[in-house]
mmCIF file of all heavy atoms in Angstrom:
data_model
loop_
_atom_site.group_PDB
_atom_site.id
_atom_site.type_symbol
_atom_site.label_atom_id
_atom_site.label_comp_id
_atom_site.label_asym_id
_atom_site.label_seq_id
_atom_site.Cartn_x
_atom_site.Cartn_y
_atom_site.Cartn_z
ATOM 1 N N ILE B 225 -11.735 -36.319 -9.541
ATOM 2 C CA ILE B 225 -11.599 -37.616 -8.881
ATOM 3 C C ILE B 225 -12.245 -37.563 -7.503
ATOM 4 O O ILE B 225 -11.950 -36.660 -6.707
ATOM 5 C CB ILE B 225 -10.105 -37.979 -8.717
ATOM 6 C CG1 ILE B 225 -9.434 -37.984 -10.102
ATOM 7 C CG2 ILE B 225 -9.954 -39.330 -8.042
ATOM 8 C CD1 ILE B 225 -7.927 -38.026 -10.027
ATOM 9 N N ASP B 226 -13.112 -38.529 -7.235
ATOM 10 C CA ASP B 226 -13.769 -38.593 -5.934
ATOM 11 C C ASP B 226 -12.867 -39.336 -4.952
ATOM 12 O O ASP B 226 -12.480 -40.477 -5.198
ATOM 13 C CB ASP B 226 -15.113 -39.313 -6.070
ATOM 14 C CG ASP B 226 -16.043 -38.980 -4.926
ATOM 15 O OD1 ASP B 226 -15.535 -38.573 -3.852
ATOM 16 O OD2 ASP B 226 -17.270 -39.120 -5.098
ATOM 17 N N ILE B 227 -12.535 -38.686 -3.857
ATOM 18 C CA ILE B 227 -11.635 -39.290 -2.882
ATOM 19 C C ILE B 227 -12.430 -39.966 -1.756
ATOM 20 O O ILE B 227 -11.911 -40.789 -1.021
ATOM 21 C CB ILE B 227 -10.702 -38.207 -2.275
ATOM 22 C CG1 ILE B 227 -9.995 -37.412 -3.361
ATOM 23 C CG2 ILE B 227 -9.667 -38.793 -1.326
ATOM 24 C CD1 ILE B 227 -8.928 -38.164 -4.115
ATOM 25 N N ARG B 228 -13.686 -39.616 -1.612
ATOM 26 C CA ARG B 228 -14.483 -40.092 -0.476
ATOM 27 C C ARG B 228 -14.469 -41.609 -0.290
ATOM 28 O O ARG B 228 -14.273 -42.063 0.852
ATOM 29 C CB ARG B 228 -15.918 -39.572 -0.570
ATOM 30 C CG ARG B 228 -16.038 -38.180 0.019
ATOM 31 C CD ARG B 228 -17.326 -37.505 -0.365
ATOM 32 N NE ARG B 228 -17.376 -37.243 -1.802
ATOM 33 C CZ ARG B 228 -18.142 -36.299 -2.352
ATOM 34 N NH1 ARG B 228 -18.931 -35.557 -1.588
ATOM 35 N NH2 ARG B 228 -18.125 -36.110 -3.650
ATOM 36 N N PRO B 229 -14.626 -42.389 -1.369
ATOM 37 C CA PRO B 229 -14.608 -43.859 -1.158
ATOM 38 C C PRO B 229 -13.314 -44.325 -0.499
ATOM 39 O O PRO B 229 -13.355 -45.142 0.420
ATOM 40 C CB PRO B 229 -14.724 -44.419 -2.574
ATOM 41 C CG PRO B 229 -15.315 -43.333 -3.387
ATOM 42 C CD PRO B 229 -14.904 -42.043 -2.769
ATOM 43 N N LEU B 230 -12.181 -43.761 -0.952
ATOM 44 C CA LEU B 230 -10.894 -44.147 -0.366
ATOM 45 C C LEU B 230 -10.857 -43.803 1.110
ATOM 46 O O LEU B 230 -10.432 -44.613 1.934
ATOM 47 C CB LEU B 230 -9.749 -43.392 -1.048
ATOM 48 C CG LEU B 230 -9.360 -43.770 -2.466
ATOM 49 C CD1 LEU B 230 -8.069 -43.055 -2.834
ATOM 50 C CD2 LEU B 230 -9.166 -45.276 -2.568
ATOM 51 N N ARG B 231 -11.300 -42.599 1.420
ATOM 52 C CA ARG B 231 -11.219 -42.144 2.807
ATOM 53 C C ARG B 231 -12.069 -43.017 3.704
ATOM 54 O O ARG B 231 -11.646 -43.427 4.787
ATOM 55 C CB ARG B 231 -11.661 -40.692 2.916
ATOM 56 C CG ARG B 231 -11.724 -40.245 4.377
ATOM 57 C CD ARG B 231 -12.109 -38.803 4.581
ATOM 58 N NE ARG B 231 -11.233 -37.923 3.833
ATOM 59 C CZ ARG B 231 -11.658 -37.055 2.936
ATOM 60 N NH1 ARG B 231 -12.951 -36.942 2.692
ATOM 61 N NH2 ARG B 231 -10.822 -36.293 2.296
ATOM 62 N N GLU B 232 -13.293 -43.299 3.240
ATOM 63 C CA GLU B 232 -14.205 -44.077 4.086
ATOM 64 C C GLU B 232 -13.722 -45.513 4.240
ATOM 65 O O GLU B 232 -13.673 -46.036 5.348
ATOM 66 C CB GLU B 232 -15.619 -44.023 3.514
ATOM 67 C CG GLU B 232 -16.301 -42.710 3.908
ATOM 68 C CD GLU B 232 -17.291 -42.200 2.863
ATOM 69 O OE1 GLU B 232 -17.845 -43.040 2.118
ATOM 70 O OE2 GLU B 232 -17.486 -40.969 2.794
ATOM 71 N N ASP B 233 -13.279 -46.129 3.128
ATOM 72 C CA ASP B 233 -12.797 -47.508 3.215
ATOM 73 C C ASP B 233 -11.531 -47.592 4.051
ATOM 74 O O ASP B 233 -11.338 -48.541 4.800
ATOM 75 C CB ASP B 233 -12.514 -48.077 1.811
ATOM 76 C CG ASP B 233 -13.800 -48.170 0.992
ATOM 77 O OD1 ASP B 233 -14.879 -47.991 1.603
ATOM 78 O OD2 ASP B 233 -13.708 -48.390 -0.226
ATOM 79 N N GLY B 234 -10.672 -46.619 3.894
ATOM 80 C CA GLY B 234 -9.386 -46.687 4.579
ATOM 81 C C GLY B 234 -9.439 -46.183 6.012
ATOM 82 O O GLY B 234 -8.447 -46.260 6.741
ATOM 83 N N GLY B 235 -10.578 -45.646 6.429
ATOM 84 C CA GLY B 235 -10.701 -45.106 7.785
ATOM 85 C C GLY B 235 -9.696 -44.000 8.049
ATOM 86 O O GLY B 235 -9.120 -43.900 9.129
ATOM 87 N N TRP B 236 -9.467 -43.121 7.049
ATOM 88 C CA TRP B 236 -8.453 -42.065 7.169
ATOM 89 C C TRP B 236 -8.714 -41.119 8.328
ATOM 90 O O TRP B 236 -7.783 -40.616 8.949
ATOM 91 C CB TRP B 236 -8.397 -41.241 5.871
ATOM 92 C CG TRP B 236 -7.782 -41.984 4.720
ATOM 93 C CD1 TRP B 236 -7.340 -43.278 4.739
ATOM 94 C CD2 TRP B 236 -7.557 -41.479 3.415
ATOM 95 N NE1 TRP B 236 -6.856 -43.619 3.509
ATOM 96 C CE2 TRP B 236 -6.968 -42.533 2.659
ATOM 97 C CE3 TRP B 236 -7.779 -40.267 2.788
ATOM 98 C CZ2 TRP B 236 -6.613 -42.379 1.326
ATOM 99 C CZ3 TRP B 236 -7.428 -40.120 1.463
ATOM 100 C CH2 TRP B 236 -6.850 -41.172 0.727
ATOM 101 N N GLU B 237 -10.007 -40.926 8.597
ATOM 102 C CA GLU B 237 -10.345 -39.930 9.610
ATOM 103 C C GLU B 237 -9.733 -40.269 10.962
ATOM 104 O O GLU B 237 -9.436 -39.386 11.754
ATOM 105 C CB GLU B 237 -11.864 -39.854 9.783
ATOM 106 C CG GLU B 237 -12.594 -39.919 8.457
ATOM 107 C CD GLU B 237 -13.365 -38.661 8.143
ATOM 108 O OE1 GLU B 237 -14.025 -38.169 9.071
ATOM 109 O OE2 GLU B 237 -13.283 -38.183 7.012
ATOM 110 N N ALA B 238 -9.560 -41.559 11.198
ATOM 111 C CA ALA B 238 -9.068 -41.977 12.510
ATOM 112 C C ALA B 238 -7.544 -41.972 12.560
ATOM 113 O O ALA B 238 -6.966 -42.105 13.635
ATOM 114 C CB ALA B 238 -9.599 -43.368 12.838
ATOM 115 N N LEU B 239 -6.893 -41.810 11.404
ATOM 116 C CA LEU B 239 -5.433 -41.947 11.360
ATOM 117 C C LEU B 239 -4.744 -40.575 11.328
ATOM 118 O O LEU B 239 -5.296 -39.612 10.783
ATOM 119 C CB LEU B 239 -5.016 -42.724 10.111
ATOM 120 C CG LEU B 239 -5.521 -44.167 9.984
ATOM 121 C CD1 LEU B 239 -5.110 -44.735 8.635
ATOM 122 C CD2 LEU B 239 -4.972 -45.027 11.108
ATOM 123 N N PRO B 240 -3.535 -40.498 11.870
ATOM 124 C CA PRO B 240 -2.764 -39.257 11.714
ATOM 125 C C PRO B 240 -2.300 -39.115 10.258
ATOM 126 O O PRO B 240 -2.167 -40.113 9.539
ATOM 127 C CB PRO B 240 -1.572 -39.426 12.663
ATOM 128 C CG PRO B 240 -1.500 -40.875 12.966
ATOM 129 C CD PRO B 240 -2.843 -41.465 12.735
#
Side-chain angles (χ1 to χ4, degrees):
Chain B
I225 302 167
D226 201 337
I227 308 289
R228 275 165 294 203
L230 288 189
R231 174 178 305 123
E232 280 148 27
D233 296 349
W236 288 2
E237 319 244 316
L239 298 175

